[in-house]
Amino acid sequence: MRQLPEADRDAIRLAQDPKLPRLLEQITATGGCAHPVHLSGSTTTVDGTTGEILHHYDTRDEPGERLLVRCRNRRATICPACSRLHAGDTYHLVRAGLLGGKNVPDAVRHRPRLFVTLTAPSFGAVHRSSEACRPRRDGGTCEHGRPLGCGLVHTPDEPSVGQPLCPDCYDYTAHVLWHAHASKLWDRFVIDVRRRLASSVGLVQSRFARHARLSFARVAEYQSRAAVHVHAVVRLDGPTGPGDEPPAWGTSEMLIDAVRASARRVLVRTAYSPAVGELRLRWGAQIDARPLRIDGEGPDDDAVAAYVAKYVTKGASDIGAGTDYRLSSRGDIESAPVSEHVRSLMRTCWRLGGLPEYEPLRLRAWVHTLGYRGHILTKSRAYSTTYAALRAERALHQGHTDFPDAITERHWRYVGSGHTPGAALIAAGIADDLAESRRLALVTMEEGEWRR
């Protein structure tokens, strides 16, 4: 036994526990969550009229006197099981705003809808994966003596892709400050789109909300150069939201023109710093706005929803553009498993975070995401359903319902998280089995449709 790995010894210990079947039930109920939360307590449901106890649950009869619940972490690198569930919720959230369902009327599929991509500006030349990286006939070097071009052909997985041709020429300060202001830049962009739509039809800008409503869902994605860019679904509704038809002048073409003009126009000015000055931050030159059509002439709605759901489970660490955990010192930055380019961005975050004029940006707290402080997924209130509603619907489907006219008393406390080494092996196996079952069910469904 002593020669066995710790995980195997712990698995054998669990196998001899008489409460193993119940532990397996709990792990299966969490979908094989890699870092479950441990709760201790009880729930009692009493009839509000008669005082009769309708249901009582207590963790004193559970293994270890605790109940396991999902960690609900969206990152696949931390918990694959919960990230799959989060991706599924995101898919339905985005899809409902495109095609209806989940209390969103089906009429939204006939509204002006766009799939928009906004990128970060250039902060310096980086290596690219293409037929030729950066060919230059005249060659030449920068002021630091490094080549201005690169004639090599890089594969997408090469470590050099996304790295600066000259780190000394790269504007790391602007990169970090652009990340810190990216959410504000998006807010200004949405406001300006509304203003441009109003101006284009002769409306007073303050009265746009009386005629139409702009709804959106957007996801942030890190590029190989460690810069965030944005994918968004934008929809034009009537003034009350998805249940109201937009005005006759509201067309996809007009919406595209407003999006492109606003993306080129809006800017955010940083606070003045004696060390940096005042920067004017804008979106990058690459702007893409495509109409979504139900007749097959535009991007497929389901594909767009799946595309957004795929990126919501990814973090900065997935492409080496940061870490999934906070860094609290310079020593943490130097030991982080990232490229030298990303490490330079982290150092810049730390340095700028020490300046009083940038204190509101909390750059040192967001070193691990290179200064980006926004949520990975954000949406306007009227776009579609919410994560809370989707979770409640799932609980209802699984039979977790409250009794009518009943009073429920809950007493819970946090007692820990994670798995023992043996339980972690079991959870990983259960998560793999559930994933394989879903894959086989999908294959069976597709084959059944094909045979029809």
Side-chain angles (χ1 to χ4, degrees):
M1 286 286 290
R2 293 180 180 178
Q3 297 178 353
L4 292 175
E6 180 184 4
D8 292 345
R9 295 200 305 270
D10 189 54
I12 293 174
R13 177 188 65 80
L14 292 174
Q16 297 172 342
D17 191 327
K19 291 189 175 181
L20 175 64
R22 177 54 187 162
L23 177 63
L24 293 177
E25 289 179 2
Q26 284 205 32
I27 295 176
T28 303
T30 66
C33 174
H35 300 279
V37 176
H38 299 194
L39 300 178
S40 176
S42 63
T43 297
T44 304
T45 303
V46 181
D47 189 303
T49 304
T50 65
E52 177 188 0
I53 296 178
L54 302 176
H55 176 75
H56 178 74
Y57 171 80
D58 199 305
T59 57
R60 283 180 292 184
D61 298 327
E62 298 287 2
E65 298 187 358
R66 56 187 62 190
L67 175 69
L68 306 184
V69 297
R70 285 181 177 269
C71 69
R72 292 184 178 178
N73 196 295
R74 67 168 182 83
R75 295 181 176 89
T77 54
I78 295 179
C79 183
C82 288
S83 73
R84 280 193 291 267
L85 187 68
H86 192 79
D89 286 348
T90 302
Y91 171 80
H92 288 290
L93 184 150
V94 176
R95 187 179 186 275
L98 291 172
L99 297 174
K102 311 296 182 184
N103 296 323
V104 179
D106 294 343
V108 296
R109 67 182 62 194
H110 302 290
R111 308 277 169 77
R113 303 166 305 151
L114 305 181
F115 184 58
V116 178
T117 299
L118 303 176
T119 62
S122 175
F123 306 109
V126 299
H127 291 280
R128 301 177 296 190
S129 58
S130 58
E131 295 182 0
C133 178
R134 289 187 176 273
R136 287 179 64 95
R137 292 182 179 179
D138 56 350
T141 59
C142 68
E143 60 180 305
H144 305 102
R146 295 186 177 93
L148 293 173
C150 175
L152 300 178
V153 177
H154 302 297
T155 59
D157 57 348
E158 280 190 39
S160 60
V161 173
Q163 307 300 301
L165 271 66
C166 176
D168 294 319
C169 292
Y170 196 86
D171 195 347
Y172 286 101
T173 298
H175 189 144
V176 167
L177 291 177
W178 191 91
H179 270 181
H181 292 83
S183 295
K184 181 182 287 188
L185 192 60
W186 171 262
D187 293 340
R188 297 264 181 95
F189 164 75
V190 173
I191 292 171
D192 197 73
V193 170
R194 295 192 185 105
R195 289 175 176 173
R196 287 192 171 272
L197 287 173
S199 298
S200 62
V201 293
L203 291 175
V204 177
Q205 294 176 359
S206 61
R207 297 185 178 181
F208 174 79
R210 301 182 184 180
H211 299 267
R213 186 166 189 163
L214 194 69
S215 299
F216 66 86
R218 70 149 176 112
V219 65
E221 176 201 358
Y222 282 88
Q223 297 172 300
S224 59
R225 60 180 173 133
V228 166
H229 68 175
V230 172
H231 302 292
V233 177
V234 180
R235 190 186 71 227
L236 189 65
D237 298 318
T240 62
D244 196 4
E245 289 294 329
W249 51 258
T251 63
S252 296
E253 291 72 19
M254 180 177 290
L255 189 55
I256 289 175
D257 291 341
V259 163
R260 289 177 175 166
S262 296
R264 290 197 278 288
R265 177 179 180 274
V266 296
L267 64 86
V268 171
R269 290 182 173 87
T270 65
Y272 175 79
S273 167
V276 177
E278 181 188 77
L279 301 184
R280 296 160 60 92
L281 306 175
R282 298 180 180 272
W283 294 109
Q286 295 179 330
I287 302 167
D288 188 21
R290 307 180 188 180
L292 296 170
R293 305 182 188 279
I294 60 173
D295 55 10
E297 295 180 6
D300 181 77
D301 294 320
D302 287 323
V304 168
Y307 187 79
V308 173
K310 177 182 69 172
Y311 281 109
V312 82
T313 64
K314 293 186 176 183
S317 65
D318 287 276
I319 62 168
T323 63
D324 288 331
Y325 53 89
R326 293 185 180 273
L327 306 176
S328 57
S329 67
R330 285 184 176 272
D332 291 343
I333 294 175
E334 300 307 319
S335 61
V338 295
S339 68
E340 193 58 31
H341 172 56
V342 172
R343 201 180 316 279
S344 295
L345 287 166
M346 290 179 170
R347 291 170 182 153
T348 304
C349 262
W350 191 268
R351 176 175 60 82
L352 295 176
L355 300 178
E357 53 269 25
Y358 295 137
E359 184 178 354
L361 301 179
R362 302 182 64 236
L363 291 173
R364 289 189 174 181
W366 295 97
V367 167
H368 63 299
T369 58
L370 313 183
Y372 179 70
R373 299 179 299 148
H375 293 289
I376 291 299
L377 178 77
T378 57
K379 75 174 190 68
S380 59
R381 181 173 300 180
Y383 174 76
S384 69
T385 185
T386 63
Y387 282 121
L390 290 172
R391 289 166 185 156
E393 186 177 344
R394 182 164 54 248
L396 180 65
H397 177 73
Q398 294 172 346
H400 301 163
T401 57
D402 292 331
F403 296 93
D405 301 325
I407 301 172
T408 301
E409 295 184 359
R410 301 177 176 88
H411 303 281
W412 294 96
R413 64 186 181 92
Y414 169 83
V415 294
S417 62
H419 283 301
T420 64
L425 280 179
I426 295 173
I430 289 175
D432 290 342
D433 289 344
L434 292 174
E436 181 65 12
S437 297
R438 284 190 292 269
R439 187 189 69 81
L440 292 176
L442 182 61
V443 170
T444 302
M445 184 185 305
E446 291 175 348
E447 289 180 348
E449 292 178 354
W450 179 79
R451 286 172 183 170
R452 289 179 187 176

